[in-house]
Amino acid sequence: MTETSFDRHMLEGLVCPVTQATLSYDADKQELVSKGAKLAFPIRGGIPIMLVDEARKLD
């Protein structure tokens, strides 16, 4: 695992801070996606940024 890769096992313990639902991992965009909240949380340096203010709004 490189410094900037995301540990997929971490995904099992993370939930959306808005809906408390599970997240899906978008490897191409390096984001964790909450379909219910329509938000994509960035992963920077292998660390998920689970702040709503930092999330990208989805259409």
Side-chain angles (χ1 to χ4, degrees), residues 1-8 10-11 14 23-34 39-50 54-56 58:
M1 184 168 85
T2 64
E3 184 179 350
T4 59
S5 67
F6 175 67
D7 181 3
R8 291 180 187 227
M10 188 186 308
L11 183 59
L14 292 175
L23 301 163
S24 60
Y25 175 50
D26 184 334
D28 292 335
K29 294 183 179 176
Q30 286 295 292
E31 294 176 328
L32 295 176
V33 178
S34 171
L39 293 172
F41 298 93
I43 298 171
R44 297 185 188 131
I47 300 170
I49 310 300
M50 303 304 296
E54 295 287 325
R56 180 174 63 85
L58 303 173

